[in-house]
């Protein structure tokens, strides 16, 4: 049996930032992730279209930068005071941070379904790149954040290919301001991407058929960017009543799990009431670490302050759309801030401080 003061389930933006902040203040943590590497997802789609751009710098072994203890394993069950691991081990804890994030069932390129070690993940992304190189025609299904960015990256890196982005409604980037939706459309169109609205391509045997128009796609590579699901299955046995109808963990104003003040949930797996984005998961991680330290020192804990949606969405290597709280812009100076290295250095630097 293993004991830790603070168990952290998942080493994404949320879990790693919480772990680093706690360790800095002398609180012992054990972070468990099924992968042995952290991935800056902001760079993943460029790694598929132009692997030389970041040279695999987006992914690092946890041991390269994580201050606390790390174990590569999978949590299979969680209760209020212990967790069971796939390896058969049991971990008991005083407090646990649930930061198991989300998965991308339709697209292993976005978050891997099976490449749990760094080398195999790098190889997996390279394989996507090779498929794209060989393709004549590419169909991307889904015009959300990932679909738009993917279409932009492929459109930029492979201008000679026939690329279609098919979306099931009449505007890209649902939830964003309409100016951001229009600018993204303009930028993709300028790259030669054909955006097809109100179409619902579905796989039928070997073919993709638009359920609305009955068009059969002639694409030789199809990438489905159809959204995420929360990784909360390990809570179903003992903590099912803490999940909402879509299996997100219900949290209070302090990101504590409903009726369990020694459990916290944050990032993509939690129903925080903020956009599901990496930089917000990172902020939530820091907040939870601070709360735990304040609780240990019997100090007052301020409520978590929700943030408005902000995003910088690249559409290829030169352009992008920036949504700020009160404005939308395509200003080059702002776009370039992310284009430089897709915030890879910024992220690893933040984990150090
Ligand atoms: C392609 C792509 C591009 C993106 N671009 C941006 C962007 O530009 N800006 C932005 O802010 N956001 C972006 N996002 C969103 C961002 O990646 C997510 O919001 C972020 O990953 C959420 O962080 P998290 O820590 O909550 O969860 P995750 O990053 O999903 O991390 C969860 C971790 O938990 C582990 N885990 C899950 N279940 C278990 C288990 N049972 N046992 C052990 N470990 C487990 C997983 O392996 C994973 O490492 C992008 C997402 C994708 C897919």
């Amino acid at each position: 049996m293993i004991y830790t003061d603070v168990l952290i389930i998942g080493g994404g933006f949320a879990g790693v930032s919480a772990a680093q902040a706690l360790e800095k203040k002398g609180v012992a943590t054990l972070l468990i992730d099924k992968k042995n590497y952290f991935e800056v997802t902001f760079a993943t789609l460029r790694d598929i279209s132009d692997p030389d751009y970041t040279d695999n710098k987006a992914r690092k072994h946890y041991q390269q930068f994580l201050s606390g203890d790390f174990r590569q394993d999978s949590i299979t069950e969680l209760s209020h005071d212990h967790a069971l691991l796939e390896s058969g081990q049991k971990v008991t804890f005083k407090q646990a941070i649930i930061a198991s994030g989300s998965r991308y069932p339709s697209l292993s390129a976005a978050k891997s379904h099976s490449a749990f070690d760094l080398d195999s993940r790098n190889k997996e992304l390279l394989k996507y790149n090779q498929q794209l190189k060989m393709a004549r025609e590419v169909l991307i299904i889904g015009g959300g954040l990932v679909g738009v960015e993917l279409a932009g990256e492929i459109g930029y890196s492979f201008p000679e290919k026939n690329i279609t982005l098919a979306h099931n409604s009449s505007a890209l980037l649902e939830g964003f301001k309409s100016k951001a939706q229009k600018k993204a459309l303009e930028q993709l169109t300028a790259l030669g991407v054909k955006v097809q609205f109100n179409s619902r391509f579905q796989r039928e045997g070997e073919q993709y058929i638009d359920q609305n128009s009955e068009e059969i796609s002639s694409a030789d590579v199809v990438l489905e960017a159809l959204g995420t699901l929360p990784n909360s299955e390990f809570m179903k046995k003992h903590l099912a009543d803490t999940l909402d109808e879509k299996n997100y963990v219900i949290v209070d104003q302090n990101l504590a799990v409903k009726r369990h003040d020694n459990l916290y949930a944050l990032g993509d797996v939690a129903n925080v009431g903020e956009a599901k984005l990496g930089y917000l998961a990172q902020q939530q991680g820091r907040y939870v670490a601070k709360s735990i330290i304040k609780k240990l020192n019997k100090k007052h804990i301020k409520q978590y302050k929700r943030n408005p949606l902000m995003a910088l969405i690249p559409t290829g290597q030169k352009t992008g759309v920036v949504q700020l709280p009160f404005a939308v812009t395509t200003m080059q100076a702002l776009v370039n801030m992310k284009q430089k290295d897709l915030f890879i250095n910024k992220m690893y630097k933040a984990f150090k401080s």
Side-chain angles (χ1 to χ4, degrees):
M1 188 155 69
I2 305 161
Y3 170 79
T4 179
D5 284 343
V6 183
L7 170 67
I8 300 177
I9 303 170
F13 297 86
V16 167
S17 56
Q20 296 296 76
L22 284 166
E23 286 286 337
K24 205 173 163 201
K25 294 285 178 191
V27 179
T29 61
L30 168 64
L31 187 147
I32 296 184
D33 199 294
K34 57 174 91 168
K35 304 189 273 88
N36 69 2
Y37 60 91
F38 178 85
E39 176 163 20
V40 180
T41 50
F42 314 165
T44 304
L45 305 175
R46 185 148 313 165
D47 286 346
I48 298 167
S49 57
D50 183 2
D52 293 338
Y53 194 94
T54 71
D55 198 18
N56 289 332
K57 288 194 175 71
R59 288 164 291 284
K60 282 190 185 179
H61 283 118
Y62 289 113
Q63 272 101 342
Q64 273 179 271
F65 67 95
L66 199 69
S67 313
D69 287 342
F70 169 73
R71 256 186 118 86
Q72 185 178 4
D73 211 323
S74 191
I75 309 281
T76 52
E77 257 180 60
L78 180 71
S79 78
H80 71 284
D81 63 359
H82 74 270
L84 296 185
L85 310 186
E86 197 173 53
S87 61
Q89 295 266 27
K90 181 175 175 179
V91 183
T92 57
F93 55 78
K94 267 197 204 128
Q95 322 211 44
I97 297 177
I98 302 156
S100 45
S102 61
R103 60 186 179 277
Y104 221 98
S106 63
L107 189 66
S108 189
K111 285 185 181 176
S112 188
H113 299 163
S114 55
F116 297 145
D117 75 276
L118 183 60
D119 286 345
S120 55
R121 178 58 170 162
N122 289 338
K123 282 187 191 136
E124 181 181 39
L125 293 175
L126 208 54
K127 209 166 147 198
Y128 272 99
N129 177 256
Q130 279 152 1
Q131 279 172 5
L132 287 172
K133 276 186 179 156
M134 309 273 283
R136 278 174 300 105
E137 198 178 327
V138 180
L139 170 66
I140 297 156
I141 307 174
L145 194 80
V146 169
V148 165
E149 203 174 314
L150 189 57
E153 292 295 348
I154 299 173
Y156 179 89
S157 294
F158 300 99
E160 74 289 359
K161 302 203 193 287
N162 190 343
I163 300 154
T164 301
L165 173 62
H167 187 53
N168 65 1
S169 79
S170 55
L172 299 171
L173 296 174
E174 196 191 324
F176 282 75
K177 293 182 198 288
S178 65
K179 187 172 172 192
Q181 298 173 334
K182 279 188 206 138
K183 289 288 171 197
L185 175 61
E186 277 170 29
Q187 293 179 347
L188 292 183
T189 308
L191 288 170
V193 174
K194 183 180 155 214
V195 180
Q196 201 167 311
F197 287 114
N198 301 311
S199 79
R200 279 195 311 119
F201 275 97
Q202 261 177 28
R203 192 185 179 131
E204 290 184 18
E206 290 302 298
Q207 293 179 321
Y208 278 85
I209 304 177
D210 184 344
Q211 307 298 304
N212 293 345
S213 67
E214 295 183 358
E215 175 196 340
I216 299 173
S217 169
S218 47
D220 36 11
V221 168
V222 179
L223 299 167
E224 297 182 53
L226 299 175
T228 61
L229 290 175
N231 294 321
S232 58
E233 287 71 14
F234 55 84
M235 301 189 58
K236 291 212 165 139
K237 186 162 179 191
H238 303 289
L239 296 163
D241 63 337
T242 66
L243 301 178
D244 71 10
E245 69 291 351
K246 289 187 173 162
N247 292 322
Y248 290 96
V249 186
I250 304 167
V251 291
D252 68 13
Q253 296 300 312
N254 300 117
L255 307 188
V257 176
K258 193 181 155 191
R259 288 194 293 276
H260 296 275
D261 65 2
N262 69 328
L263 302 180
Y264 294 86
L266 62 165
D268 279 13
V269 74
N271 187 350
V272 175
E274 265 186 336
K276 305 239 171 282
L277 286 168
Y279 80 92
L280 293 173
Q282 188 196 5
Q283 283 182 27
Q284 292 164 21
R286 287 206 202 107
Y287 167 85
V288 164
K290 229 184 206 173
S291 298
I292 289 177
I293 290 157
K294 283 196 172 160
K295 199 156 86 179
L296 289 173
N297 295 326
K298 299 197 169 27
K299 284 195 178 151
H300 172 70
I301 302 165
K302 278 193 197 150
Q303 290 186 354
Y304 179 71
K305 204 167 144 255
R306 271 76 176 165
N307 298 278
L309 170 62
M310 279 206 298
L312 205 167
I313 310 158
T315 49
Q317 296 184 17
K318 298 280 180 234
T319 54
V321 178
V322 187
Q323 175 161 316
L324 301 165
F326 303 106
V328 170
T329 174
T330 55
M331 214 163 82
Q332 206 58 47
L334 279 181
V335 171
N336 288 349
M337 277 167 48
K338 186 166 185 181
Q339 289 290 7
K340 211 170 114 211
D341 78 335
L342 300 154
F343 293 149
I344 296 173
N345 275 318
K346 187 173 180 227
M347 201 46 68
Y348 285 111
K349 238 187 207 166
F351 291 154
K352 268 194 208 149
S353 58

